[in-house]
Amino acid sequence: GGFPELEAASLAANAGMRVSIRAAAASGVPIYGECGGLMYLGEQLTDFEGRAHEMVGLVPARSVMTNDRLTLGYREVSSLGTPFLAAGESVRGHEFHWSTLEGRVDAERAAYRVLGEGERAEGFRAGSVTATYVHLHLGARADLAPRFVEQVAAAREARA
């Protein structure tokens, strides 16, 4: 998460970190980005001044900051298979962002279906990477965070 738009130039300049994250993804390390994490894992982030900054490139989308569109609200999502939820499980979360995504969310590679909104596809899954605008409410289910820790541990053991 966070606010990558505030440090987009610094994030883009840190090529070593972007290379490390891509290498971790290639080796199967589970990577989960929410909102700002989605923006950072994407291809590019255009800040409020219209300057484009290269990001990690693991998500096929570009984030564009906008002053006139705020997405805000609670969401109930059904998983399509993420590090926190098996396919078909659901949980509550929220969205809060001033950015939009250029690039289509492919229903086959989406992370979630947002329930009650025409079942729209949301987020991205590719290999060990999951990125979404939805912030999950980890307190809603006590098993969510331990599941992610277990998946990270299993990935570490598999690489050892």
Side-chain angles (χ1 to χ4, degrees), residues 21-50:
I21 292 171
R22 286 191 295 266
S27 71
V29 172
I31 297 172
Y32 190 86
E34 291 180 340
C35 200
L38 162 66
M39 295 163 65
Y40 182 56
L41 292 172
E43 297 167 349
Q44 188 178 75
L45 189 159
T46 301
D47 62 24
F48 284 111
E49 287 76 36

Side-chain angles (χ1 to χ4, degrees), residues 92-148:
R92 192 169 172 92
H94 76 275
E95 284 185 273
F96 176 87
H97 51 92
W98 288 95
S99 64
T100 60
L101 290 182
E102 292 180 348
R104 196 174 126 255
V105 176
D106 178 4
E108 296 291 319
R109 293 182 53 194
Y112 301 109
R113 282 183 303 111
V114 178
L115 304 175
E117 294 185 24
E119 305 287 311
R120 73 174 163 93
E122 206 289 318
F124 300 87
R125 290 176 299 138
S128 66
V129 177
T130 304
T132 174
Y133 265 133
V134 175
H135 295 265
L136 297 184
H137 179 22
L138 296 180
R141 290 190 36 191
D143 63 326
L144 296 180
R147 281 186 187 187
F148 185 69

